[in-house]
Amino acid sequence: MSALFTVFLGAPGAGKGTQAAAAAQALRLAHISSGDMFRRAIARDDELGRTVCAYLEKGTLVPDEITTRMVLDELKGSNQGIILDGFPRNLRQAMSLDAALGREDRALGCVIYIKVAESELLRRLSARWLCRQCQAPHTCPNGEGETTCQKCAGELYQRPDDQPETVQRRLEVYFAETAPLIAYYRDQDKLCEIDGEGEVETITQRITEVLRDGESIGCQR
Ligand code: AMP
């Protein structure tokens, strides 16, 4: 696979992070998650973390200047194929990405859009708990009487922005700001829609097949 960029697009709860990590591992690509970069900065309590903390708590978008600079800095000079997860999140970010890649004579290959019904998104987000150590997602540990990670026995926790009021806000932000990117990339013939419901492994397989077959170029299905 050539050194191209693949964007993973989808609503909160669509499985973007899980699928981006799995595809990156299967295809030996780098995985850049803007949400993870922000969460790491918050955990370090550095200047970026203190600046963005309130936005993540409320479930609103971090201002474009901060996000775009952070992600584009990370991309600079990389000659490896990259999966971008959570960026771009609105049209301004998408245009900044196109412009930055164009300046370096590089290109966005394919946009994997993971499609999940809204009722299923709400169900997943309200039941999603993560492992503090390995970040593996689990379903509603309290209901199941389970409090440790099945993979590494780390402690499970609920992301503060997965609590009900914030989940609703994040979905509203997604439909208002991020969903227009579906048409933006479809018009560029870059969109590849993947059914995001079903077994995690089956969805990973659908995505990796598309990325392998399409060489990430014009893989609209
Ligand atoms: P995620 O882990 O992708 O769900 O992102 C968690 C939170 O990080 C979002 O609710 C936003 O507050 C912030 N965030 C992540 N990516 C972006 C982005 N591209 N633009 C603005 N804010 C973002």
Side-chain angles (χ1 to χ4, degrees):
M1 177 171 302
S2 50
L4 285 169
F5 297 85
T6 305
V7 163
F8 273 49
L9 190 63
K16 224 171 359 82
T18 305
Q19 293 300 340
Q25 193 180 21
L27 302 171
R28 295 166 189 256
L29 300 171
H31 172 206
I32 295 181
S33 155
S34 45
D36 284 351
M37 290 174 85
F38 287 136
R39 280 184 287 278
R40 284 197 293 269
I42 292 170
R44 287 193 304 267
D45 194 25
D46 62 12
E47 195 186 333
L48 174 65
R50 287 190 293 275
T51 309
V52 303
C53 185
Y55 297 100
L56 273 83
E57 271 174 12
K58 281 185 292 191
T60 55
L61 294 188
V62 173
D64 292 337
E65 313 79 73
I66 300 174
T67 310
T68 302
R69 185 167 4 104
M70 174 184 80
V71 175
L72 295 185
D73 278 353
E74 190 76 12
L75 295 183
K76 259 187 211 146
S78 164
N79 57 6
Q80 192 190 355
I82 290 178
I83 290 181
L84 278 173
D85 156 18
F87 182 92
R89 210 68 159 226
N90 60 30
L91 285 169
R92 286 176 303 281
Q93 293 180 8
M95 288 191 243
S96 301
L97 177 64
D98 285 347
L101 294 179
R103 280 194 295 276
E104 295 183 13
D105 214 15
R106 302 200 281 180
L108 181 61
C110 176
V111 176
I112 298 287
Y113 163 45
I114 306 179
K115 190 173 178 184
V116 172
E118 192 176 348
S119 53
E120 173 66 8
L121 295 172
L122 276 168
R123 192 193 67 75
R124 287 188 191 176
L125 286 169
S126 52
R128 176 168 76 171
W129 288 60
L130 300 178
C131 170
R132 265 190 213 288
Q133 280 179 183
C134 73
Q135 298 300 312
H138 290 65
T139 306
C140 202
N142 289 343
E144 308 283 315
E146 161 206 339
T147 55
T148 52
C149 175
Q150 286 163 349
K151 283 192 181 165
C152 74
E155 182 198 1
L156 298 184
Y157 77 109
Q158 189 174 35
R159 259 173 57 171
D161 59 349
D162 278 349
Q163 280 154 27
E165 326 72 72
T166 318
V167 161
Q168 194 55 48
R169 180 84 195 115
R170 287 167 64 212
L171 285 173
E172 284 164 16
V173 169
Y174 169 78
F175 287 113
E177 298 263 342
T178 311
L181 292 179
I182 298 167
Y184 177 79
Y185 287 124
R186 186 176 282 135
D187 288 349
Q188 295 185 15
D189 266 0
K190 295 203 163 155
L191 197 79
C192 181
E193 190 171 304
I194 299 284
D195 176 2
E197 300 194 31
E199 292 294 319
V200 173
E201 295 74 17
T202 313
I203 300 163
T204 307
Q205 207 176 344
R206 286 180 199 145
I207 293 173
T208 51
E209 272 167 17
V210 163
L211 291 177
R212 277 200 183 105
D213 289 356
E215 280 277 308
S216 293
I217 297 178
C219 59
Q220 183 158 22
R221 302 283 147 109

